[in-house]
């Protein structure tokens, strides 16, 4: 089997865009987004989507190793999101199922399986605070020091932002103001860059291929993600390196203050578009930090407007 880094070499070239910035142009941005929606399948088809069930496999870089497993994302508009990850731990052992849910204004999460193994994924670039900056620190103790109401609000904002990002990536749904801001160029071609701003979420930029109008990439600014894997005795099995060369050190004591992670450019790259019920949807999605790929999703299936069970989004 190929090494994870080799699997993802093509993404680095796509992320290496040279960008020429222009004055913001809202009318051009609206026209380009309309073209892109037509390229995906048309306004009527996109507007008719009220729910999605997305399933596939993922690989995630975690320090010197790779965590892999199965992924399921279910969303129901206007404000419900459930993300389940069935993980395979480094070195084998029982699987761990991690669940994160947004149900309107309610958020909850859970971990099952794993034989007592704890897995935490902190700071996907949206969450304010919440967790220590080192894999050797005790995440449960760190979270206990945060006011529960503040933590819940931070989780709510993070998942609302994630839902908006998925809606933009899959349905080109824009929650906020959109304006064309730049032309980007890479060895593979040119892209128009549209910036989307909202009062309640970080600004995002979406890159649209100038020839096909297909979405290529979404970028935003945020803290670099971290992954923590801990066994029964608290030993860290893997820590994902933060941006800027700062490593999550498994040997660091948990007694110090929480480390403040530097801001980074976070990227979601979209590719391998295939037709699904008359729509073009990406079947390869990668996540990157400062052009360094940390995650790859291979989508196996999309279900459009499925009927979810009544308890899918409830705890």
């Amino acid at each position: 089997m190929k090494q994870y880094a080799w699997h993802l070499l093509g993404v680095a070239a796509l992320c290496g865009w040279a960008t020429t910035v222009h004055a913001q142009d809202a009318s051009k941005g609206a026209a380009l987004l309309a073209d892109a929606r037509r390229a995906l399948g048309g306004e009527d088809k996109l507007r008719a989507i009220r729910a999605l069930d997305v399933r596939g496999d993922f690989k995630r870089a975690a320090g010197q190793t790779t965590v892999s497993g199965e992924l399921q994302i279910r969303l129901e508009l206007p404000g419900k999101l459930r993300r389940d990850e069935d993980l395979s731990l480094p070195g084998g052992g029982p699987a761990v199922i991690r669940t994160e849910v947004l149900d309107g204004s309610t958020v909850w999460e859970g971990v099952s399986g794993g034989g007592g193994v704890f897995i935490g994924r902190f700071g996907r670039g949206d969450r304010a605070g919440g967790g220590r900056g080192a894999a050797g620190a005790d995440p449960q103790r760190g979270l206990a020091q945060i006011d529960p109401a503040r933590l819940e609000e931070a989780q709510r904002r993070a998942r609302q932002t994630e839902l908006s990002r998925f809606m933009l990536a899959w349905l080109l749904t824009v929650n906020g103001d959109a304006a064309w801001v730049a032309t980007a160029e890479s060895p593979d071609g040119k892209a128009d860059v549209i910036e989307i701003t909202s009062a309640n979420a970080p600004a995002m930029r979406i890159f649209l291929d100038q020839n096909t109008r297909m979405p290529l990439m979404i970028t935003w600014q945020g803290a670099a993600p971290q992954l923590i894997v801990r066994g029964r005795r608290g030993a860290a099995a893997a820590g994902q390196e933060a941006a800027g060369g700062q490593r999550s050190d498994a040997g660091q004591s948990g007694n110090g203050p929480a480390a403040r992670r530097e801001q980074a450019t976070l990227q979601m790259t979209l590719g391998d578009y295939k037709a699904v019920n008359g729509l073009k949807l990406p079947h390869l999605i990668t996540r990157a930090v400062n052009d360094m790929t940390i995650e790859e999703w291979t989508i196996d299936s999309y279900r459009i407007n499925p009927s979810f069970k009544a308890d899918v989004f409830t705890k």
Side-chain angles (χ1 to χ4, degrees):
M1 181 176 178
K2 292 183 180 180
Q3 298 252 340
Y4 182 64
W6 288 105
H7 228 356
L8 306 173
L9 279 179
V11 178
L14 181 59
C15 292
W17 292 93
T19 304
T20 303
V21 180
H22 304 274
Q24 291 195 357
D25 188 331
S27 60
K28 184 173 181 178
L32 289 170
L33 283 170
D35 288 344
R37 289 171 71 83
R38 282 191 289 271
L40 287 182
E43 193 72 34
D44 291 343
K45 284 189 173 73
L46 290 170
R47 284 187 179 276
I49 297 177
R50 306 304 302 166
L52 279 176
D53 184 347
V54 184
R55 303 185 188 216
D57 300 319
F58 74 89
K59 294 181 180 179
R60 181 177 301 133
Q64 299 302 309
T65 188
T66 300
V67 176
S68 62
E70 297 176 354
L71 172 73
Q72 181 178 15
I73 297 174
R74 285 168 279 190
L75 62 87
E76 185 175 278
L77 305 182
K80 295 184 178 183
L81 172 68
R82 176 168 177 149
R83 172 173 172 155
D84 293 285
E85 292 182 350
D86 189 338
L87 299 105
S88 300
L89 298 177
V96 177
I97 299 174
R98 180 173 176 83
T99 300
E100 297 180 347
V101 175
L102 169 70
D103 183 7
S105 60
T106 302
V107 292
W108 61 272
E109 61 186 54
V111 178
S112 62
V117 173
F118 171 83
I119 291 190
R121 189 179 67 249
F122 296 105
R124 290 194 306 277
D126 311 311
R127 186 174 300 176
R132 294 183 178 270
D138 188 337
Q140 293 174 319
R141 183 174 63 184
L143 292 175
Q145 296 173 350
I146 301 173
D147 177 68
R150 288 182 57 196
L151 177 60
E152 182 178 352
E153 177 59 26
Q155 290 174 331
R156 183 182 300 110
R157 289 198 308 268
R159 290 180 199 163
Q160 288 171 340
T161 300
E162 186 169 34
L163 176 58
S164 296
R165 196 170 297 132
F166 288 146
M167 291 170 60
L168 178 63
W170 287 323
L171 309 178
L172 275 180
T173 299
V174 174
N175 293 323
D177 299 322
W180 178 81
V181 294
T183 301
E185 186 171 0
S186 81
D188 295 324
K190 294 183 179 181
D192 288 297
V193 184
I194 298 173
E195 185 169 86
I196 299 164
T197 56
S198 170
N200 301 318
M204 295 183 287
R205 289 187 170 188
I206 184 166
F207 290 58
L208 303 176
D209 187 286
Q210 283 195 348
N211 292 324
T212 66
R213 296 304 184 206
M214 301 298 287
L216 299 173
M217 181 169 63
I218 298 171
T219 67
W220 65 98
Q221 297 296 308
Q226 289 181 302
L227 180 72
I228 296 172
V229 181
R230 296 170 64 85
R232 290 179 182 272
R233 298 181 180 179
Q240 181 171 301
E241 296 183 11
Q246 295 179 349
R247 182 187 176 107
S248 298
D249 188 351
Q252 181 173 326
S253 169
N255 298 325
R260 189 175 187 85
R261 298 192 302 277
E262 295 181 3
Q263 293 291 289
T265 298
L266 305 172
Q267 300 147 323
M268 177 189 290
T269 304
L270 312 169
D272 193 18
Y273 280 88
K274 298 177 183 178
V276 180
N277 294 357
L279 292 171
K280 293 180 180 178
L281 294 171
H283 285 66
L284 179 63
I285 299 174
T286 60
R287 309 286 291 260
V289 178
N290 291 336
D291 286 345
M292 179 183 294
T293 302
I294 61 171
E295 191 166 311
E296 176 184 275
W297 302 353
T298 302
I299 306 301
D300 296 324
S301 69
Y302 287 92
R303 292 174 60 214
I304 296 175
N305 291 334
S307 296
F308 295 129
K309 294 182 179 180
D311 61 352
V312 163
F313 301 101
T314 58
K315 190 169 185 178

